[in-house]
Amino acid sequence: MYQKHIKILEKPQGKRFAIGDIHGCSKTFKALVEDKIQLTKSDNLFLLGDYIDKGSDSTGVIDYIFYLQENGYQVFPLLGNHELNLLEASQQYNERTFKHFLRMNKNKDIVDEQMKIKPKYLEFFNSLPYYYELEDYHLVHAGFDFRNPNPFQNHNAMLYIRRFEVKKELLKGKKIVHGHQPTNLKAIQKSIANNASVIPLDNGCTYTKPHKIFDYNQLGNLCCLNLDSLELIIQENIEK
């Protein structure tokens, strides 16, 4: 169903950007792309998965991705675990349970009257690869399990792994940029400043209120990394 990975080894004429988990924050996503990044058609924009759930406008996020692609912008989205979870729920749950699942995740607009995922969104989800391999980066939703003999073939880890130790000899000089795990802004900035082999980009865009686990004062932003300059571009959550 899904492409294992896609190699993009040629750099664009413009810049290369990667954005972490958007989670239904369509206004914040649009502001980051148009006002902060000021994306051009010469740039490459990589999206690290989890476009849906948590925020209030999952379909708006995907529709904006469609808009960018249809208007000549080079946008490369990845599969996230939330997209896969939705696909699996649509196949495995009965109608009542699936309705509850959609309501809990604020995704009711993603299905039609027959409770089927709308064709344009289903086609989009099924087209998403597990990771992108660039000349100098591996871009993935969650990460890679280097305890596995074949870490670049373990697709479950690419969507769900939380913490992982890197075998640098397998990276061959490339860095890993990933989302999935909400990470304090200071930790993200530190990984970039230290030129780390692994850079997290999920700053928990939807975490804007006190939380029992996370320090929301260090979260609540949508983060973008300029892959060429290692500049971190931050857009505060502006959803209302």
Side-chain angles (χ1 to χ4, degrees):
M1 182 184 295
Y2 310 106
Q3 301 179 67
K4 292 182 178 179
H5 84 285
I6 295 177
K7 290 185 178 183
I8 303 177
L9 301 181
E10 184 176 344
K11 291 185 178 180
Q13 292 182 342
K15 301 174 182 178
R16 299 176 301 165
F17 300 101
I19 294 178
D21 304 35
I22 303 168
H23 277 307
C25 297
S26 61
K27 294 178 182 177
T28 308
F29 178 36
K30 186 175 182 180
L32 177 58
V33 170
E34 297 185 3
D35 300 335
K36 295 291 182 70
I37 298 175
Q38 298 183 357
L39 189 70
T40 74
K41 294 179 182 179
S42 298
D43 300 329
N44 282 358
L45 176 61
F46 297 93
L47 306 175
L48 303 184
D50 280 5
Y51 315 107
I52 64 173
D53 298 347
K54 298 185 180 180
S56 61
D57 192 18
S58 294
T59 54
V61 170
I62 302 172
D63 288 343
Y64 186 57
I65 295 172
F66 291 163
Y67 166 81
L68 291 172
Q69 292 177 329
E70 290 166 358
N71 283 276
Y73 293 90
Q74 303 303 305
V75 182
F76 303 92
L78 281 173
L79 180 68
N81 63 295
H82 281 255
E83 286 76 50
L84 181 60
N85 292 344
L86 176 65
L87 289 173
E88 291 177 339
S90 71
Q91 298 166 0
Q92 298 173 8
Y93 293 173
N94 60 38
E95 183 173 331
R96 181 177 179 180
T97 305
F98 189 46
K99 283 183 178 178
H100 178 69
F101 175 86
L102 294 169
R103 186 166 56 251
M104 288 286 292
N105 291 299
K106 304 176 183 179
N107 273 338
K108 60 183 178 63
D109 294 337
I110 218 159
V111 297
D112 59 23
E113 295 178 355
Q114 285 74 44
M115 297 303 295
K116 301 293 184 182
I117 298 175
K118 294 176 181 177
K120 64 178 180 179
Y121 301 128
L122 183 61
E123 182 180 357
F124 172 71
F125 296 146
N126 284 331
S127 73
L128 298 173
Y130 284 103
Y131 76 99
Y132 288 105
E133 181 182 354
L134 310 187
E135 178 187 33
D136 42 359
Y137 289 94
H138 292 293
L139 307 179
V140 66
H141 176 61
F144 301 99
D145 184 2
F146 287 95
R147 298 168 301 180
N148 190 293
N150 299 300
F152 298 110
Q153 296 179 21
N154 185 344
H155 300 134
N156 185 71
M158 295 175 195
L159 297 180
Y160 292 104
I161 197 169
R162 290 289 179 181
R163 294 178 177 85
F164 56 97
E165 297 293 330
V166 174
K167 291 183 179 178
K168 291 187 177 181
E169 64 271 18
L170 296 181
L171 291 182
K172 299 179 180 179
K174 299 184 181 186
K175 297 181 186 295
I176 296 172
V177 178
H178 70 93
H180 186 55
Q181 176 67 32
T183 303
N184 285 356
L185 187 58
K186 288 182 180 178
I188 295 173
Q189 293 169 327
K190 183 178 179 180
S191 70
I192 296 170
N194 291 344
N195 198 30
S197 298
V198 179
I199 299 174
L201 272 190
D202 180 9
N203 189 231
C205 186
T206 59
Y207 293 100
T208 58
K209 298 178 181 179
H211 193 275
K212 61 182 179 181
I213 298 175
F214 300 113
D215 178 7
Y216 80 102
N217 292 303
Q218 277 290 309
L219 301 172
N221 303 291
L222 189 57
C223 288
C224 172
L225 182 67
N226 182 321
L227 298 175
D228 301 305
S229 67
L230 289 181
E231 175 192 5
L232 184 66
I233 304 164
I234 302 168
Q235 173 61 57
E236 183 180 0
N237 183 312
I238 58 172
E239 310 298 315
K240 299 295 182 183

